[in-house]
Amino acid sequence: MTTRAFLPWPDPRLRAAADPVAAVTDDIRAIWDDMIDTMDAMPGYGLAGPQIGVMQRLAVVDCSDARGQAVRLANPEILHASAQLRTHEEASPNLPGVSAAFDRPRAVTVRFLNADGAVEERDFVGLWATSVQHQIDHLNGRMYFDHLSRLKRDRLIKRAAKLRGA
């Protein structure tokens, strides 16, 4: 088991878009394995490469009750999002101690390269959809709090800084 350290907010890499993955290789699979170990150690429902300093469009999600059902995604892109929304309290290990509730589409259809390197399209619903969207935001240099009003975002970031003694 190999866990990796999280980049602390406001590391500039958390604001940079990740690079596309050219092909799924053994090196990519090893990064995914580390990401799953790191996600499970959090514990959390997903993890994107930039959160641990890997600036490639890689993500993992596992919202299963028993765990061990992680989906490995390279170059994920949302093809369709439902009009129906779902509210969820989101957080990030890059800005520990704070969270915020907001709405995202309840279901999404995502195209990505899977662990075999094949193009796959999959529907994600509920918490799975929320986590996938959260990870794609990270891959695009966005944090969950970017979905909040400026006032709420500033308060959240100030509260996190206070918690870490900054």
Side-chain angles (χ1 to χ4, degrees):
M1 179 168 149
T2 303
T3 60
R4 298 198 186 192
F6 296 105
L7 298 179
W9 175 260
D11 189 297
R13 290 172 286 183
L14 294 170
R15 284 297 192 200
D19 297 325
V21 174
V24 174
T25 62
D26 287 342
D27 288 341
I28 295 294
R29 290 183 190 95
I31 293 169
W32 270 328
D33 290 345
D34 288 355
M35 290 173 70
I36 291 167
D37 289 345
T38 303
M39 171 185 65
D40 288 344
M42 247 188 300
Y45 294 117
L47 187 66
Q51 292 183 269
I52 56 171
V54 175
M55 298 310 295
Q56 297 181 70
R57 294 188 72 79
L58 296 172
V60 295
V61 293
D62 189 348
C63 302
S64 61
D65 291 332
R67 303 301 279 196
Q69 305 297 313
V71 177
R72 293 159 171 84
L73 306 99
N75 304 331
E77 60 178 315
I78 296 172
L79 301 177
H80 175 75
S82 68
Q84 184 180 5
L85 301 177
R86 174 182 184 277
T87 303
H88 186 75
E89 186 86 13
E90 296 189 33
S92 175
N94 305 100
L95 190 69
V98 295
S99 62
F102 59 94
D103 297 336
R104 289 189 188 264
R106 189 186 77 76
V108 292
T109 302
V110 180
R111 178 187 299 138
F112 59 96
L113 292 178
N114 64 23
D116 296 323
V119 174
E120 182 176 336
E121 288 184 15
R122 186 181 293 193
D123 294 327
F124 295 92
V125 179
L127 185 55
W128 286 87
T130 298
S131 182
V132 167
Q133 292 171 82
H134 183 109
Q135 306 324 315
I136 291 173
D137 276 355
H138 277 300
L139 297 177
N140 293 329
R142 295 189 70 199
M143 297 286 287
Y144 73 92
F145 51 76
D146 292 329
H147 293 275
L148 304 174
S149 69
R150 182 175 199 82
L151 178 64
K152 287 182 179 179
R153 180 175 54 243
D154 290 348
R155 284 182 180 165
L156 184 125
I157 292 170
K158 279 183 185 174
R159 193 165 62 242
K162 191 174 183 178
L163 287 171
R164 72 174 182 264

